[in-house]
Amino acid sequence: MKKLDRLTTTEVSAWVQQAKTKAEYGKVIDRIPQLALADPNWFAVHICCESGKNISFGDTGCIFPLMSVIKTFSLLYLLEHFGAETVFGWVGVEPSDAPFNSLEQLVSDRGRPRNPMINSGAITLADKLPGKDATQRTLLFCQWLNQLAGCQLSLDEVMLASVRLTRSKANEAIANYLTETGYLENLEIALDTYEQICCISGRVEDLALLGKLLACDGLVNPRNRRIVNAVMSSCGLYEASAEFAVRIGLPMKSGIGGGLVAIVPGEGAIACYSPGLDNMGNPVGAIAFVEALAQELQLSVFA
């Protein structure tokens, strides 16, 4: 029996309680008014095993925007549609030691986005999604994910209105520079698409089902799956990626909405929702939960 399959609800419950005490050190983001409404005490976990076994715990009815977690899946989507050679003509795969919305890093790299998990890379890839405008691109992408993963994601229009109302000046500056250096074809469509896909929302179970695409055979091209998992391992948690590769050893991606997905290749996916973030934008409680579970079950891919 695989390691995730041996998990019991009792064990999960104990690790959730432990993680919730650490979650108190996180802070709910207040830059986007709609995100600021999240209760810092919300905590949800869904574990989706290759065998079909599922374990859910906590506030699993909460619907939250995937925010930056979606970057993982826009990368996968484009790899599946255009192939690695084309996609990595648009963005690199190098880790970043600067914040996820750093213009300085982009300028020092002469306009080439360092990787798809930071904003410059994700905005560049949003510019390349199939579809004539942002709304069509988001719809096609969301439909593709739902069909492939069997999840029920949808665009949260209220969240999108809140994001548009407080559009990030850093993202505007990044998009302007990307346009100047020839990486964007249409600045406004790229930014609009990026904001829309970040507001694709669902429950923690939906996020675990997405993660399963990257954990199990037969759903996507194996080469693309390996590429995405590798990029997540080195870039998925921003500047903290290397630290957590050592401490946890699983491909992971976080978002400022409080979502986190961790991939256990060949076994399944672990999704968490905990809206309190650390100063890098990673959900404190979610990472604490995955760390406890990964260490106890010895899940590191680097074993």
Side-chain angles (χ1 to χ4, degrees):
M1 189 186 279
K2 294 186 174 178
K3 292 174 181 176
L4 279 185
D5 279 317
R6 292 201 294 265
L7 269 179
T8 66
T9 309
T10 311
E11 288 172 316
V12 170
S13 167
W15 290 323
V16 166
Q17 295 317 316
Q18 188 182 317
K20 281 180 94 163
T21 61
K22 296 189 178 173
E24 292 168 13
Y25 295 99
K27 186 173 182 295
V28 175
I29 193 162
D30 55 10
R31 188 183 65 75
I32 298 167
Q34 196 64 22
L35 275 183
L37 300 177
D39 184 332
N41 296 311
W42 284 338
F43 201 105
V45 170
H46 189 97
I47 298 165
C48 211
C49 303
E50 186 183 36
S51 64
K53 176 178 176 175
N54 290 280
I55 294 181
S56 275
F57 199 88
D59 303 301
T60 53
C62 287
I63 294 173
F64 56 94
L66 296 186
M67 291 290 164
S68 282
V69 181
I70 203 68
K71 294 171 180 174
T72 302
F73 301 99
S74 58
L75 171 60
L76 178 66
Y77 182 59
L78 289 169
L79 286 169
E80 290 280 297
H81 278 75
F82 301 113
E85 198 175 324
T86 298
V87 172
F88 295 120
W90 298 325
V91 293
V93 292
E94 298 80 28
S96 167
D97 55 4
F100 58 79
N101 59 355
S102 171
L103 176 63
E104 291 76 10
Q105 172 118 78
L106 187 63
V107 172
S108 71
D109 292 337
R110 295 180 186 159
R112 177 170 166 80
R114 190 164 281 213
N115 67 67
M117 303 293 164
I118 54 176
N119 292 14
S120 57
I123 291 166
T124 300
L125 293 190
D127 186 57
K128 318 301 182 205
L129 293 186
K132 70 177 191 302
D133 58 24
T135 302
Q136 190 187 42
R137 289 176 185 192
T138 305
L139 182 65
L140 289 171
F141 179 37
C142 196
Q143 285 174 341
W144 183 81
L145 290 172
N146 284 339
Q147 199 170 354
L148 197 61
C151 49
Q152 295 179 305
L153 301 167
S154 61
L155 177 64
D156 183 336
E157 299 279 3
V158 176
M159 186 65 68
L160 178 60
S162 191
V163 167
R164 283 173 168 163
L165 196 66
T166 55
R167 174 172 275 187
S168 161
K169 294 283 178 271
N171 285 347
E172 284 186 333
I174 285 168
N176 279 320
Y177 194 71
L178 287 168
T179 305
E180 281 172 36
T181 51
Y183 281 89
L184 292 190
E185 288 171 35
N186 188 310
L187 183 152
E188 201 43 56
I189 291 178
L191 265 183
D192 192 8
T193 304
Y194 175 72
E195 289 175 346
Q196 287 200 42
I197 66 173
C198 284
C199 293
I200 290 175
S201 301
R203 294 179 173 83
V204 74
E205 179 184 3
D206 297 309
L207 182 51
L209 286 167
L210 287 182
K212 205 172 173 183
L213 295 175
L214 296 169
C216 306
D217 284 331
L219 297 167
V220 295
N221 181 308
R223 180 172 182 243
N224 293 338
R225 199 177 73 228
R226 284 194 296 273
I227 289 170
V228 175
N229 283 331
V231 175
M232 285 171 81
S233 293
S234 59
C235 309
L237 299 178
Y238 311 121
E239 311 100 289
S241 299
E243 178 194 342
F244 287 113
V246 172
R247 276 171 50 182
I248 298 176
L250 294 175
M252 292 192 285
K253 185 71 194 88
S254 63
I256 59 167
L260 178 85
V261 65
I263 311 303
V264 187
E267 293 225 13
I270 303 156
C272 301
Y273 170 58
S274 178
L277 311 177
D278 63 19
N279 58 7
M280 290 182 201
N282 294 317
V284 179
I287 288 177
F289 173 82
V290 174
E291 185 169 5
L293 184 148
Q295 288 183 354
E296 191 64 37
L297 299 184
Q298 296 183 323
L299 293 176
S300 174
V301 298
F302 304 112

